[in-house]
Amino acid sequence: MIRSVFAGVCRTPFVAASRATTYKAPALVHRFYSDQATPEAAPVQPASSTKSIEAKQDAEAAPAISAQDVEKLKQTITEKDAKLRELKDAYLRSLADAENIRTRAKTEVDNTKAFAIQKFAKDLLDTVDILELAIKHVPQEHLADKVANKSLVDLYEGVDMTKSNLLRTLERHGVESFDPMDQPYDPNTSHALYQAPIPGKTPGHVFAVEKRGYSIKGRTLRPAQVGVVLDPSGN
């Protein structure tokens, strides 16, 4: 009886202890101290100062250039400058030549367009001459009597209208007629068929036009056929 009670009493504290929270002691931190003084950090140099030092070191490390080397470099530079000027001059000349070629090509194209109908227009001038000749040879007194000569008058007006319409068509394409009557004779625009002394007329002037002259875009298409006043003195 006594033994069982003692056993129960002795068992109780162990049970309570097993149920209690376990306590852990904190870990110890060890700090070591030194008797030596801490060395100071080296001062930081600015970037500009560092570059100056590096440039100075590079200059000191570079080999010295002799006067002969300097003269050679000057000679080389002079030759390069002369070659550069030569190439620049050749380049400018090439540009000028190209521009001249382009201008000439454009002029040729424009002239081709302007004078494309030159041959065709020149062939039509013979027709205009025939119509003018037909009109010129109709007596004016016959045209005055429109009742008696109605058929002739109608024919005359029809031929004149045909000639006028043909001339307007040529003018639309740049062909224009000119009459050098009473003007100084110009061999560039007129062809002298004959010369004769005419009293009251200025020598060297045109006094008769057999065929009118024609030009296309300012260029003589066909010179006028004229008679020129002859100077009686022979000058």
Side-chain angles (χ1 to χ4, degrees):
M1 180 66 178
I2 295 173
R3 183 178 295 176
S4 61
V5 171
F6 177 77
V9 172
C10 293
R11 190 182 295 116
T12 302
F14 287 102
V15 173
S18 62
R19 295 178 180 177
T21 302
T22 304
Y23 174 77
K24 294 182 180 181
L28 297 178
V29 178
H30 299 279
R31 180 176 294 179
F32 297 94
Y33 295 92
S34 176
D35 296 335
Q36 299 179 358
T38 303
E40 297 181 357
V44 179
Q45 296 291 340
S48 60
S49 177
T50 302
K51 291 182 179 180
S52 300
I53 294 173
E54 292 177 355
K56 184 176 181 180
Q57 292 176 354
D58 293 340
E60 292 177 354
I65 301 177
S66 62
Q68 185 177 3
D69 294 336
V70 173
E71 291 298 328
K72 289 182 179 180
L73 290 176
K74 289 182 179 180
Q75 181 66 24
T76 302
I77 293 174
T78 302
E79 294 176 356
K80 296 296 183 182
D81 289 342
K83 185 65 175 178
L84 180 61
R85 287 192 296 270
E86 181 181 352
L87 293 176
K88 183 178 180 180
D89 182 70
Y91 173 70
L92 294 177
R93 290 177 181 274
S94 298
L95 289 180
D97 292 340
E99 181 64 21
N100 293 335
I101 292 174
R102 188 188 67 82
T103 302
R104 286 197 299 269
K106 184 178 182 301
T107 302
E108 291 178 0
V109 171
D110 293 341
N111 290 338
T112 301
K113 292 180 179 179
F115 303 109
I117 65 168
Q118 180 174 350
K119 187 177 184 303
F120 175 71
K122 192 173 183 179
D123 292 339
L124 287 179
L125 297 182
D126 294 336
T127 303
V128 176
D129 294 337
I130 294 173
L131 295 175
E132 287 185 345
L133 188 62
I135 294 172
K136 181 179 179 181
H137 283 79
V138 175
Q140 294 298 318
E141 58 272 14
H142 293 174
L143 298 176
D145 191 355
K146 295 184 179 180
V147 177
N149 301 314
K150 185 178 182 302
S151 298
L152 179 61
V153 172
D154 291 342
L155 179 60
Y156 177 88
E157 291 177 351
V159 173
D160 186 61
M161 291 175 61
T162 303
K163 185 202 74 171
S164 300
N165 187 45
L166 183 56
L167 289 177
R168 284 194 299 269
T169 302
L170 292 173
E171 288 176 358
R172 284 198 300 269
H173 293 278
V175 179
E176 298 180 353
S177 63
F178 60 89
D179 187 351
M181 176 64 76
D182 296 328
Q183 296 180 7
Y185 172 71
D186 185 1
N188 296 318
T189 60
S190 301
H191 174 63
L193 297 178
Y194 50 86
Q195 290 180 310
I198 305 296
K201 296 288 186 179
T202 305
H205 282 57
V206 176
F207 73 91
V209 178
E210 300 298 334
K211 288 184 179 181
R212 298 167 60 87
Y214 291 88
S215 63
I216 177 171
K217 304 293 184 179
R219 178 188 299 179
T220 301
L221 179 61
R222 191 193 70 181
Q225 298 181 8
V226 300
V228 182
V229 178
L230 178 64
D231 188 355
S233 62
N235 296 328

